[in-house]
Amino acid sequence: MNRFVVGVRANLQTFVRTPLNVVLALVLPLVVIEGWGQAMAGLPSMPTVEGIPLDLGRLLGAIFGVAIITGLMGLVQMISAREADRRLVQTGYAPRTLLATRLATLAGVTIVVAGVNFGVLWLTIDVEAPLFVFAFLALAGVVYAFLGALVGAVLPRLFEGSLVVVFLAMMDVFLSGDSPLAADVPDFVQYFPLYHPKELLQSAAFDGTFAAGDLAFVGGYLLVLLVLVTAVFGATMRTAGGWSA
């Protein structure tokens, strides 16, 4: 337990001590939420959500902001695991403890990022169910934190990996949203990572409710991603002393 706490604290301190991370977490939501909202307001009327294009744009901006930051954090955590955690395993750290510290760090950062984006969103639109909106933003953040970790496993370079994460998040939000330009997207878009979180957020923010089917889909998505992240992390650590430690 002591090693777990120390590991989480070290990971969080590393995140906070990087100025760019703090700037992204605090400033990006303001820019993205309002910017996406204004951009959406300048487009033709929404095909499925008429009369609130600005509010919908701000909601999509909040999802985008959460996805970018948590996705980059997941990327950094996996790249760091490939470099630092191997040495920690060789010094006696259990791989399961290291994985737990990484996951706990991602969860903590996701909650903070979701809270900041929710705060900005709450000040700019009328939210019907605030607790649900915050929870669903956090769920979207966890999804992209895991995706960022998987990108880091396949492409363990910060610059290239960051470009991939940002591009994925941008296309995901655009195609999963109600943009008029994306009105005729194919049915497989419903399997995109942010499609069902967006549905949950939209229902909670504007109607004060949500569909259990969307929540179940997100839960299944997270379970699959968690299994994949665990497997990738285990494969990374296996070369440094074995997963059974």
Side-chain angles (χ1 to χ4, degrees):
M1 180 59 69
N2 288 336
R3 286 188 171 186
F4 171 78
V5 174
V6 170
V8 173
R9 183 184 299 120
N11 289 333
L12 291 176
Q13 287 176 345
T14 300
F15 178 82
V16 173
R17 288 175 180 173
T18 304
L20 180 59
N21 292 337
V22 178
V23 171
L24 287 176
L26 298 180
V27 177
L28 187 64
L30 295 169
V31 176
V32 172
I33 290 175
E34 187 60 27
W36 206 294
Q38 294 296 335
M40 193 69 79
L43 294 175
S45 298
M46 299 294 137
T48 59
V49 187
E50 298 181 358
I52 54 168
L54 181 59
D55 286 353
L56 178 60
R58 286 168 173 164
L59 184 70
L60 294 176
I63 305 173
F64 181 54
V66 169
I68 285 181
I69 300 173
T70 57
L72 292 177
M73 186 62 186
L75 173 74
V76 171
Q77 288 291 304
M78 183 55 69
I79 293 176
S80 177
R82 295 174 66 95
E83 299 174 354
D85 287 3
R86 289 181 177 182
R87 294 191 293 270
L88 291 174
V89 168
Q90 292 171 344
T91 63
Y93 263 84
R96 287 185 178 85
T97 300
L98 293 174
L99 174 61
T101 62
R102 296 293 182 183
L103 293 178
T105 302
L106 288 178
V109 172
T110 297
I111 290 173
V112 173
V113 171
V116 173
N117 280 267
F118 169 74
V120 176
L121 192 64
W122 200 9
L123 293 174
T124 55
I125 71 172
D126 293 327
V127 177
E128 294 294 331
L131 291 180
F132 285 158
V133 170
F134 170 74
F136 296 150
L137 278 174
L139 282 178
V142 174
V143 167
Y144 255 82
F146 287 167
L147 284 174
L150 294 177
V151 171
V154 176
L155 190 61
R157 297 181 180 87
L158 185 58
F159 178 73
E160 292 88 342
S162 299
L163 292 179
V164 171
V165 169
V166 172
F167 177 77
L168 285 176
M170 184 175 296
M171 294 305 299
D172 196 353
V173 172
F174 180 77
L175 293 177
S176 297
D178 289 313
S179 167
L181 301 179
D184 297 323
V185 295
D187 292 339
F188 65 76
V189 169
Q190 66 181 305
Y191 299 105
F192 279 21
L194 291 181
Y195 180 83
H196 290 278
K198 186 274 298 183
E199 292 290 305
L200 290 169
L201 278 165
Q202 187 170 320
S203 297
F206 301 137
D207 301 325
T209 185
F210 64 90
D214 288 323
L215 185 59
F217 193 97
V218 175
Y221 216 109
L222 284 173
L223 181 60
V224 171
L225 289 175
L226 177 60
V227 171
L228 291 175
V229 169
T230 302
V232 168
F233 188 88
T236 301
M237 292 300 99
R238 194 170 292 115
T239 61
W243 178 251
S244 60

